[in-house]
Amino acid sequence: MKAKTLFDKIWDGHIVNSIEDGPDVLYIDRHYIHEVTSPQAFNGLRERGISVFRPGKTIATADHNIPTKDQHLQIRDELSRNQVERLSENCRKYGIELFGLNHPKSGIVHVIGPELGYTLPGMTIVCGDSHTSTHGAFGTIAFGIGTSEVEMVLATQCILQPKPKKMRITVNGNLHKGVTSKDIIMYIISEISTGGATGYFVEYSGSAITSLSMEARMTICNMSIEMGARGGLIAPDETTFDYLRKLPSIPGINDLESSVNQWTKLKSDPDASFDRELEFDAGLIKPMITYGTNPGMGMAIDGSIPMADNKNNEASSSYLKSLDYMGFKPGIKLLGHPIDYVFIGSCTNGRIEDFRAFAQIIRGRKKAASVTALIVPGSKKVEEQMASEGLIEVFKNAGFEVRQPGCSSCLAMNEDKIPAGKYSVSTSNRNFEGRQGPGARTMLASPFTAAAAAITGKISDPREFITEEKNVKI
Amino acid sequence: MSKVKFDLLESTCVPLPFENVDTDQIIPARFLSATSREDFGDNLFRDWRYLKTGEKNSDFIMNNPKFSGKVLVAGKNFGSGSSREHAVWAIFDYGFRAVVSSFFADIFMNNSLNNGLLPVVISEELLIKLQDLIQKNPATKVKIDLEKQMFTIIPTGDSVRFGINPYKKECLLKGLDDIDFLLNMKSLITGYENNKNLVK
């Protein structure tokens, strides 16, 4: 039999039908929905006079536009309130389980899915959100889709999809202290650019990947889309199974160990071939920061902003336009540059480990007076854990405000906007123009780097705040 | 999902000569709170088209009255980032029927094809040539023939074949829709579920 990649094994196992010269009809095991990209899909069903085909396979949450303060009160913004209410109505009408605002298990869709045991190895998972790639950390084919495709999945539990090409990214070696999974993925994106993996589905492998926790693996897979990849996955192993063993329950699974036995087969065959292979050395990675307006524009924290490439006019003018938006010039260093805001949260770095890492540097120190910081847990469960581990106390003592769970300032659909012209060090995933509010200037970084910036009020090297023996791995 | 037909288009173009234009630029997140698909065109490229004061930004190329047409000629890696289909709805609602680039992000490409907006991939070299031509002569017309999969710059006669999935091509030519196609496949889908012993 022909050697197969992990991606092939899962994809091929989910083909309901193949169209000649066309896309495959792929069966979807898990469909996550949220308030922003689902209403038009439900409208579509109504216009066709059809219902949801398999409501038990769809899970809903309200996360994108909700406030992170006073969640028990009515949402003030009328359009946002309407969207959240529409989601509740649709879920009620079609019998879809909803972890809505104020539900004790609610949170960001890509945080609660794994937390509640809905994301399991070998699954196909889609959601009307590009960061669906997060779930690939469990050895799943998980990818973001548009609203027409949400409608398609609601109507038929299937999606028409052309099969992407396959790429393997291997990262071997040991990470230095203060370097995190966020830095690994930001490094890779800076090396291959924001469109470097477009058309591909990525498998991450190598010792620097397999030694990561599930939370850290989710951070890596989460940002696959930022290099254009359709998604990214990591073969499940004992780390994955232990994560699942510790969950209070897993819906639909009675005998976890017999499932684990099946899941151990989920790996690429040794002689399977990929359309493209890349290798990186973890020892070369430093804490990263972005300086421009796409996630490919990243560099080591102590580096200098590269000069424009003058070979191509369009590329060079786009590059300079981007630096101009940020208020930076080619050749300058960012260390010591004053900042105004710090955001820690999002589906990239809003899990318990991220807040532990943030706390490691914050503990016993004070927030710089010039900095406004937003600390936003990824879910209610993360919030509870933060409270029980005393982290909320640590943050409050240091002068930080801890908000309630949601996507918040990652995309600033709610009130958590960074004002025009202000610099924000953010643990989220996108530094696009206006992403955190019109005119906001975002610099992406790890929770360590965000913490160092929060206490100094400027871009600072987090390695100076971490001792070797206290190096938390995230 | 829409059932818009696309066959032949001959039009002048609007140039947008920037690389890596993400969907947050096409339609900023703060305009995603609507629950219908209509009227997103008003906020297409909102933060580039309008100044903070709400006035039109006369420096932005799309606001230059010289340029008009149903074809948006974008830079490399167009539509990256968020999966929001609202980006495609905004471009379509504004009046475009095709977007030309040397490279599109995957989700944007799927979303376009699902809404009757044709993404046309041409070489980087030809794209740069086309951008130059439009800048010099805004009356430059292009012809997009989906049936023949031919893209032609009319005044220069440059004509190239562009790729499209044959299934999606047929859908666009006939105004068919994926959901109808899948609904007709229900027995196959149920058969798959039965074979795999899936809980339904």
Side-chain angles (χ1 to χ4, degrees):
Chain A
M1 233 171 60
K2 194 172 171 279
K4 281 185 163 189
T5 66
L6 169 57
F7 174 80
D8 289 323
K9 289 180 188 181
I10 303 174
W11 183 281
D12 296 351
H14 285 80
I15 294 177
V16 171
N17 194 16
S18 287
I19 304 168
E20 210 184 316
D21 292 330
D24 288 325
V25 178
L26 207 63
Y27 192 82
I28 298 303
D29 296 316
R30 180 69 65 213
H31 183 205
Y32 294 115
I33 58 171
H34 62 85
E35 76 279 21
V36 177
T37 58
S38 67
Q40 293 87 350
F42 285 108
N43 292 349
L45 294 185
R46 276 187 281 274
E47 282 158 22
R48 285 170 207 271
I50 56 175
S51 192
V52 176
F53 182 51
R54 297 291 182 232
K57 293 181 191 285
T58 295
I59 301 292
T61 186
D63 55 3
H64 276 64
N65 73 21
I66 57 169
T68 55
K69 251 182 173 172
D70 298 327
Q71 289 184 343
H72 61 291
L73 300 178
Q74 196 186 47
I75 301 175
R76 275 186 295 189
D77 179 70
E78 196 188 327
L79 287 173
S80 299
R81 187 172 69 240
N82 179 39
Q83 241 181 6
V84 170
E85 283 169 2
R86 195 65 79 82
L87 179 71
S88 305
E89 274 166 35
N90 284 326
C91 288
R92 239 189 340 264
K93 179 171 177 196
Y94 294 104
I96 291 168
E97 182 151 28
L98 168 67
F99 298 95
L101 196 57
N102 295 314
H103 189 290
K105 292 177 179 174
S106 66
I108 303 174
V109 60
H110 309 308
V111 177
I112 68 165
E115 222 173 54
L116 300 176
Y118 287 111
T119 293
L120 296 172
M123 278 184 163
T124 47
I125 300 177
V126 294
C127 172
D129 186 282
S130 61
H131 293 111
T132 307
S133 58
T134 312
H135 306 269
F138 291 79
T140 70
I141 290 184
F143 55 92
I145 56 176
T147 298
S148 292
E149 294 168 317
V150 171
E151 187 183 339
M152 214 182 281
V153 179
L154 290 172
T156 67
Q157 205 54 41
C158 288
I159 192 166
L160 278 168
Q161 232 20 229
K163 192 175 181 178
K165 289 180 283 185
K166 290 154 290 181
M167 181 189 291
R168 179 159 59 192
I169 296 180
T170 307
V171 190
N172 282 316
N174 294 318
L175 287 176
H176 294 294
K177 74 160 187 175
V179 180
T180 69
S181 55
K182 181 66 167 289
D183 301 301
I184 298 180
I185 190 66
M186 284 178 63
Y187 175 81
I188 296 171
I189 301 166
S190 74
E191 289 287 309
I192 74 170
S193 91
T194 185
T198 300
Y200 291 90
F201 209 99
V202 176
E203 178 175 347
Y204 299 97
S205 68
S207 60
I209 302 291
T210 52
S211 63
L212 295 172
S213 68
M214 287 315 293
E215 284 83 355
R217 292 179 190 189
M218 284 190 250
T219 302
I220 299 260
C221 291
N222 172 278
M223 287 188 74
S224 303
I225 181 72
E226 307 312 335
M227 51 186 172
R230 205 68 188 83
L233 82 175
I234 297 170
D237 59 10
E238 276 307 306
T239 305
T240 322
F241 308 142
D242 278 344
Y243 177 99
L244 296 171
R245 285 178 185 123
K246 284 181 192 145
L247 294 178
S249 70
I250 298 180
I253 301 264
N254 299 320
D255 180 1
L256 180 62
E257 291 311 316
S258 96
S259 298
V260 166
N261 272 335
Q262 292 300 310
W263 294 334
T264 53
K265 294 174 199 150
L266 291 171
K267 51 183 144 205
S268 291
D269 296 330
D271 44 354
S273 71
F274 291 81
D275 299 292
R276 198 173 166 205
E277 293 242 30
L278 296 173
E279 255 188 88
F280 297 98
D281 177 356
L284 296 178
I285 305 174
K286 293 179 176 181
M288 296 287 293
I289 190 142
T290 59
Y291 54 84
T293 56
N294 73 59
M297 298 173 81
M299 65 177 188
I301 187 102
D302 55 2
S304 306
I305 296 178
M307 306 309 281
D309 169 9
N310 289 323
K311 275 176 275 174
N312 173 343
N313 268 341
E314 190 171 296
S316 140
S317 71
S318 299
Y319 182 77
L320 295 174
K321 176 177 174 284
S322 170
L323 291 190
D324 188 49
Y325 177 87
M326 292 300 292
F328 295 150
K329 295 220 166 354
I332 66 160
K333 283 184 178 291
L334 288 182
L335 274 181
H337 193 285
I339 59 118
D340 310 290
Y341 283 76
V342 166
F343 170 60
I344 166 153
S346 85
C347 58
T348 311
N349 284 124
R351 299 181 183 80
I352 187 63
E353 280 193 354
D354 301 311
F355 296 100
R356 285 182 192 142
F358 193 72
Q360 192 195 333
I361 288 185
I362 300 301
R363 194 172 275 119
R365 295 189 168 101
K366 290 279 179 204
K367 177 181 77 65
S370 57
V371 171
T372 306
L374 275 171
I375 298 186
V376 186
S379 70
K380 292 265 194 207
K381 196 176 159 196
V382 171
E383 188 183 27
E384 274 166 33
Q385 254 178 302
M386 281 166 70
S388 70
E389 294 181 19
L391 300 183
I392 293 184
E393 212 49 35
V394 170
F395 298 142
K396 284 190 173 158
N397 289 341
F400 291 96
E401 187 184 3
V402 180
R403 295 291 190 92
Q404 291 169 298
C407 296
S408 178
S409 195
C410 172
L411 82 166
M413 268 196 85
N414 67 356
E415 291 147 351
D416 304 345
K417 291 181 173 58
I418 312 291
K422 298 291 182 191
Y423 287 98
S424 157
V425 175
S426 175
T427 67
S428 54
N429 40 56
R430 287 183 176 141
N431 50 343
F432 296 151
E433 280 185 36
R435 173 79 178 181
Q436 293 193 287
R441 292 161 161 171
T442 301
M443 290 180 272
L444 302 176
S446 76
F448 282 146
T449 304
I455 55 175
T456 60
K458 52 195 182 193
I459 303 294
S460 304
D461 193 328
R463 293 171 294 188
E464 290 168 17
F465 298 86
I466 299 167
T467 52
E468 200 67 59
E469 62 275 17
K470 276 195 175 167
N471 186 23
V472 180
K473 276 191 89 173
I474 61 163
Chain B
M1 183 137 250
S2 81
K3 302 184 187 190
V4 179
K5 270 193 189 182
F6 189 109
D7 41 25
L8 194 76
L9 179 64
E10 205 177 295
S11 170
T12 49
C13 309
V14 177
L16 189 73
F18 309 123
E19 292 192 347
N20 303 317
V21 172
D22 57 78
T23 52
D24 272 81
Q25 305 319 312
I26 300 174
I27 182 93
R30 62 185 190 280
F31 301 112
L32 305 185
S33 298
T35 53
S36 73
R37 289 169 181 249
E38 285 81 45
D39 303 329
F40 284 100
D42 291 345
N43 293 313
L44 175 67
F45 297 114
R46 174 77 202 195
D47 294 336
W48 288 348
R49 272 167 69 204
Y50 295 92
L51 300 170
K52 266 174 252 162
T53 55
E55 290 164 78
K56 273 198 173 174
N57 173 9
S58 54
D59 291 340
F60 182 52
I61 196 155
M62 276 176 67
N63 287 337
N64 186 336
K66 285 197 303 197
F67 302 115
S68 65
K70 292 183 175 176
V71 179
L72 179 66
V73 180
K76 184 178 167 187
N77 193 24
F78 187 75
S80 59
S82 157
S83 62
R84 60 189 70 163
E85 196 161 312
H86 313 65
V88 171
W89 300 336
I91 294 172
F92 194 91
D93 187 49
Y94 187 86
F96 293 115
R97 293 296 172 266
V99 188
V100 180
S101 173
S102 58
F103 192 78
F104 288 98
D106 291 329
I107 305 179
F108 180 85
M109 178 88 100
N110 281 356
N111 288 343
S112 299
L113 291 167
N114 284 339
N115 286 279
L117 178 74
L118 186 68
V120 179
V121 180
I122 60 173
S123 72
E124 211 167 327
E125 201 187 350
L126 188 61
L127 182 68
I128 290 168
K129 182 176 176 180
L130 177 60
Q131 293 277 13
D132 279 351
L133 281 168
I134 303 166
Q135 300 268 4
K136 285 181 191 134
N137 179 12
T140 303
K141 275 191 174 179
V142 298
K143 185 168 123 183
I144 301 170
D145 184 337
L146 177 59
E147 175 72 55
K148 295 190 179 126
Q149 291 178 235
M150 292 306 287
F151 176 80
T152 309
I153 304 176
I154 294 174
T156 62
D158 283 287
S159 199
V160 289
R161 192 177 155 84
F162 60 89
I164 183 169
N165 184 299
Y167 163 81
K168 287 313 275 187
K169 176 179 168 178
E170 197 182 319
C171 287
L172 283 172
L173 286 172
K174 295 183 179 161
L176 301 174
D177 152 321
D178 286 354
I179 296 178
D180 287 340
F181 178 84
L182 286 174
L183 286 171
N184 284 327
M185 226 173 246
K186 273 280 172 74
S187 61
L188 268 177
I189 298 170
T190 315
Y192 171 92
E193 291 177 322
N194 293 339
N195 275 338
K196 297 247 166 182
N197 265 327
L198 297 181
V199 182
K200 288 170 195 162

